[in-house]
């Protein structure tokens, strides 16, 4: 089932329950006002304070370094976004990514389960980190909790705005940088775990034996013939026995080529299309990976869990890094835009730096919207 149907079903189930039991849910901290459901709690506020109290000095020092990292990342992200204008009609740099849903023009498909778990880590650690730094800077937290916008999940930590404005510029920068730096830090941890599993755990328990189709893209040359789980044995009489031979062969074809793919379930002829990322390269419409066999049955099927963990930490890395760095773009209402405004306020009067940041925000937003629209065309 296409992931979009799960979202539609979840939308009707959640909102039917929310509207029917609105009065009872309000007694447990729920605030339901379509299309937003908010749940506030004081228990999470206590958890944030306990984490902050472990070492307030560490959080401040760590996030002072994070401010420098944030501004370097901001410059890099802005440069990447602006430089993408040249190829926006052929290879959009920004596209919507929804777990479990194939988005037109996007070469990235995020699995539903792993994507939702990864997204949850993004939201929770981002908002909690804002709260931890706010408490470390002696800024009160007005509210904390989870929210649902229609069917899109989110989390929020709301520092006292008056106290935040009255704090030093350095304190404000630390608070705003905290979310993205936490996401980038978690991405680094996830990457290390991913590399340990892929470099040691899997090679130690499995041997590579061919290439397996992990996913077939809908409405692609492969969609009418191939399916997930098939083992690719040959492509146009070229034997495929590992990932190196597979990549060498598939990169040699052009759009319009007729290619015979031999699998463990038979041979099929495909007419290749244009690759969305490079129109000069032939497009099969499959995502394939190494096919493995257990070296020993001493632990039964238990070692197979490594592949689930590998994919989980892969998506935790991708989503935390992608969303964390995107949030540092110099545009409001993103944290990057707020940080840029604070930085400029050191040297410029308010009547100059605010219109300047607003203008930059509009330019960034226009490029993003144009890229998203272009990905659907």
């Amino acid at each position: 089932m296409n992931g979009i149907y799960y979202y539609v079903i979840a939308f009707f189930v959640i909102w039917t329950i929310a509207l029917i039991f609105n009065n009872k849910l309000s007694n447990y901290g729920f605030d339901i006002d379509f299309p937003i459901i908010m749940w506030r709690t004081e228990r999470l506020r206590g958890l944030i304070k306990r984490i902050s109290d472990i070492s307030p000095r560490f959080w401040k020092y760590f996030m002072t370094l994070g401010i420098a990292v944030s501004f370097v990342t901001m410059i890099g992200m802005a440069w990447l976004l602006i430089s993408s204008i040249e190829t926006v009609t052929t290879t959009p740099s920004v596209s919507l990514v929804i777990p479990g849903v194939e988005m037109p023009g996007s070469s990235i498909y995020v699995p539903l389960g792993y994507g939702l778990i990864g997204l949850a880590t993004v939201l929770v650690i981002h908002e909690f980190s804002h709260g931890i730094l706010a408490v470390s800077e002696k800024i009160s937290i007005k509210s904390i909790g989870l929210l649902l916008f229609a069917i899109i999940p989110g989390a929020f930590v709301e520092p006292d705005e008056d106290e935040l404005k009255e704090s030093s510029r350095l304190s404000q920068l630390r608070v705003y940088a905290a979310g993205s730096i936490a996401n980038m830090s978690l991405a680094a941890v996830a990457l290390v775990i991913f590399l340990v599993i892929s470099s040691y755990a899997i090679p130690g328990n499995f041997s590579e034996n061919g290439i397996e189709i992990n996913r077939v893209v809908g409405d692609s040359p492969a969609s009418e013939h191939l399916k997930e789980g098939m083992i690719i044995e040959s492509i146009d009489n070229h034997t495929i026995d590992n990932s190196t031979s597979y990549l060498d062969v598939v990169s040699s074809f052009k759009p319009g080529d007729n290619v015979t793919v031999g699998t463990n379930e038979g041979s099929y002829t495909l007419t290749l299309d244009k690759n969305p990322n490079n129109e000069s390269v032939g497009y099969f419409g499959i995502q394939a990976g190494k096919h493995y066999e257990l070296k020993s049955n001493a632990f039964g099927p238990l070692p197979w869990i490594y592949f689930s963990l590998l994919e989980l930490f892969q998506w935790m890395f991708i989503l935390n890094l992608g969303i964390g760095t995107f949030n540092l773009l110099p545009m409001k209402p993103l944290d990057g835009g707020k940080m840029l405004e604070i930085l400029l306020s050191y040297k410029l009067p308010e009547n100059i730096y605010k219109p300047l940041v607003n203008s930059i925000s509009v330019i960034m937003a226009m490029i993003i919207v144009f890229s998203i629209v272009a990905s659907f065309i």
Side-chain angles (χ1 to χ4, degrees):
M1 180 186 289
N2 190 319
I4 192 67
Y5 297 116
Y6 291 111
Y7 288 102
V8 172
I9 293 170
F11 174 83
F12 283 106
V13 171
I14 290 172
W15 277 99
T16 298
I17 294 174
L19 294 176
I20 292 176
F21 298 101
N22 189 348
N23 293 332
K24 291 184 177 180
L25 290 172
S26 63
N27 297 328
Y28 295 93
F30 285 89
D31 183 10
I32 301 170
D33 186 13
F34 187 83
I36 297 175
I37 299 176
M38 299 183 74
W39 173 64
R40 292 181 171 87
T41 178
E42 293 188 2
R43 292 182 180 178
L44 294 178
R45 187 167 7 186
L47 175 61
I48 286 178
K49 188 177 187 308
R50 287 195 294 273
I51 296 174
S52 176
D53 288 345
I54 292 173
S55 180
R57 182 176 296 179
F58 166 78
W59 297 120
K60 289 183 179 181
Y61 286 159
F62 179 60
M63 211 48 63
T64 300
L65 176 62
I67 292 171
V69 173
S70 296
F71 279 113
V72 171
T73 304
M74 183 189 301
I75 294 170
M77 290 296 293
W79 180 83
L80 287 173
L81 186 63
I82 294 172
S83 63
S84 71
I85 296 176
E86 291 183 37
T87 58
V88 71
T89 57
T90 56
T91 311
S93 61
V94 181
S95 61
L96 293 175
V97 177
I98 302 175
V101 180
E102 292 182 5
M103 301 302 295
S106 176
S107 58
I108 299 177
Y109 171 79
V110 183
L112 181 63
Y114 296 118
L116 291 177
I117 295 173
L119 186 59
T121 66
V122 172
L123 298 173
V124 172
I125 196 166
H126 185 99
E127 294 300 327
F128 267 48
S129 297
H130 282 312
I132 291 169
L133 262 296
V135 172
S136 297
E137 299 289 346
K138 309 300 183 183
I139 299 170
S140 304
I141 296 177
K142 292 174 62 176
S143 61
I144 180 172
L146 305 175
L147 62 85
L148 196 71
F149 179 78
I151 197 61
I152 301 173
F156 63 92
V157 172
E158 185 182 5
D160 188 292
E161 287 295 330
D162 292 332
E163 293 183 16
L164 183 60
K165 290 178 181 178
E166 291 173 1
S167 63
S168 68
R169 291 187 180 96
L170 182 59
S171 294
Q172 293 178 49
L173 286 172
R174 287 182 185 135
V175 172
Y176 287 128
S180 289
I181 293 300
N183 287 138
M184 294 162 69
S185 300
L186 180 58
V189 172
L191 178 60
V192 170
I193 297 174
F194 174 88
L195 292 174
V196 170
I197 294 174
S198 61
S199 301
Y200 297 100
I202 290 178
N205 290 274
F206 297 88
S207 57
E208 185 180 351
N209 183 21
I211 293 295
E212 180 178 350
I213 298 176
N214 296 327
R215 174 174 168 258
V216 178
V217 179
D219 196 27
S220 68
S223 61
E224 295 182 4
H225 306 286
L226 306 180
K227 60 183 180 181
E228 294 179 10
M230 284 183 171
I231 309 301
I232 299 176
E233 298 174 342
S234 65
I235 299 178
D236 260 11
N237 297 321
H238 296 280
T239 301
I240 304 298
D241 49 17
N242 55 46
S243 55
T244 301
S245 59
Y246 171 73
L247 292 174
D248 288 342
V249 172
V250 297
S251 62
S252 64
F253 296 110
K254 305 294 182 184
D257 287 350
N258 292 317
V259 179
T260 300
V261 180
T263 74
N264 61 328
E265 297 183 24
S267 297
Y268 306 89
T269 300
L270 316 176
T271 301
L272 303 187
D273 205 344
K274 294 180 180 178
N275 192 304
N277 296 319
N278 187 343
E279 294 188 355
S280 65
V281 177
Y283 180 61
F284 288 77
I286 61 174
Q287 291 181 355
K290 298 176 181 179
H291 177 64
Y292 290 97
E293 290 184 351
L294 266 173
K295 292 180 179 179
S296 169
N297 291 321
F299 297 100
L302 187 60
W304 289 101
I305 196 174
Y306 285 129
F307 292 99
S308 296
L309 293 174
L310 189 72
E311 191 162 7
L312 173 61
F313 285 106
Q314 170 189 310
W315 287 112
M316 283 179 61
F317 165 72
I318 292 173
L319 292 174
N320 274 278
L321 181 64
I323 296 175
T325 53
F326 180 86
N327 187 60
L328 289 173
L329 278 169
M331 59 177 289
K332 296 178 70 175
L334 300 181
D335 290 333
K338 297 174 183 177
M339 292 182 69
L340 178 61
E341 193 169 79
I342 295 170
L343 180 66
L344 294 178
S345 70
Y346 275 98
K347 294 295 183 181
L348 299 175
E350 184 175 338
N351 65 333
I352 293 179
Y353 72 75
K354 281 203 170 184
L356 179 59
V357 173
N358 290 338
S359 299
I360 295 173
S361 299
V362 170
I363 293 172
M364 295 288 113
M366 289 176 63
I367 298 174
I368 291 170
V369 171
F370 189 48
S371 291
I372 293 174
V373 172
S375 69
F376 283 88
I377 298 176

